[in-house]
Amino acid sequence: IIFIFYNSLLFAENKILFIDIDFIYSNSNAGKKVNDKIRSEAKKINTEMINYQKELKEDKDTLISQKNVLSQEELKKKTIILEKKVKDYNKIISTKNNKLSELRKKANVKFYQELTKVVQKYAEDNSVEMIVKKQNIIIGKTSLDVTNDILDLFNKKIKNLN
């Protein structure tokens, strides 16, 4: 009975808090900047893709309309050119999507690095034993949620994620 009581006292003295990392990423000034940059790049890629698809469709429609006018050899040559254009387009879009994914990945890594520093400093300053992700909590008192405190500190210390 003494052992159980002693363990209960130890656990009661431990300060365990939690934070919502997704909320901090979405609502921090630096997170908003990087999300805007990512959205802008994605929109730019999407616009380029739509324009290129229109161009390819026009080329294809032109080729189909000329099908009866062109010789077999000329039709084959233009078809090969169109297929090459499609392949080139797919490579360009793939490269741009890879760069966008790399930008996302770098931003996430930088965010977690910076957030870890802020959380460590907060834990030291407030004698906190452990801070866990809110996503890993089934039930917890809202008084143990320090997301807004961490968000404020993060905004003060981190201006951008570049």
Side-chain angles (χ1 to χ4, degrees):
I1 294 175
I2 293 173
F3 180 71
I4 293 171
F5 181 71
Y6 180 72
N7 278 342
S8 296
L9 283 177
L10 281 179
F11 186 70
E13 290 178 17
N14 289 342
K15 220 171 171 184
I16 299 174
L17 305 173
F18 60 90
I19 59 172
D20 186 341
I21 293 174
D22 294 334
F23 181 84
I24 294 170
Y25 185 77
S26 298
N27 293 289
S28 67
N29 296 332
K32 286 177 184 177
K33 284 180 190 176
V34 79
N35 280 332
D36 288 346
K37 184 177 180 180
I38 290 169
R39 268 193 295 278
S40 173
E41 286 297 315
K43 187 176 181 180
K44 193 168 110 179
I45 290 170
N46 193 39
T47 301
E48 287 178 27
M49 188 172 68
I50 289 169
N51 291 338
Y52 209 78
Q53 285 174 341
K54 284 180 185 176
E55 183 182 327
L56 288 174
K57 185 177 179 344
E58 288 172 7
D59 289 352
K60 181 182 174 186
D61 291 345
T62 302
L63 188 60
I64 289 171
S65 69
Q66 295 175 346
K67 186 177 180 180
N68 295 332
V69 178
L70 297 173
S71 68
Q72 200 69 336
E73 187 176 306
E74 190 66 26
L75 181 64
K76 189 174 184 178
K77 189 191 299 184
K78 288 192 177 205
T79 302
I80 290 170
I81 291 170
L82 183 61
E83 287 172 355
K84 183 182 180 328
K85 206 173 185 181
V86 169
K87 284 180 186 177
D88 291 345
Y89 159 73
N90 286 335
K91 283 181 187 176
I92 291 168
I93 293 299
S94 177
T95 300
K96 289 184 182 223
N97 281 331
N98 287 342
K99 285 181 182 177
L100 184 62
S101 292
E102 191 63 30
L103 176 65
R104 272 192 192 107
K105 191 162 82 174
K106 283 181 181 179
N108 282 335
V109 167
K110 184 70 172 167
F111 169 76
Y112 279 104
Q113 288 172 343
E114 297 299 334
L115 182 63
T116 299
K117 292 175 190 174
V118 170
V119 170
Q120 284 175 336
K121 178 80 170 113
Y122 180 88
E124 288 171 14
D125 293 349
N126 294 284
S127 303
V128 175
E129 296 290 324
M130 185 183 308
I131 299 177
V132 296
K133 287 179 170 183
K134 185 176 185 176
Q135 293 82 346
N136 295 335
I137 304 292
I138 296 172
I139 296 175
K141 290 182 180 179
T142 55
S143 62
L144 299 175
D145 185 352
V146 291
T147 300
N148 289 325
D149 295 340
I150 299 294
L151 176 61
D152 290 341
L153 283 172
F154 191 85
N155 281 335
K156 286 177 187 170
K157 295 182 185 269
I158 311 301
K159 301 301 177 197
N160 63 43
L161 295 172
N162 296 333

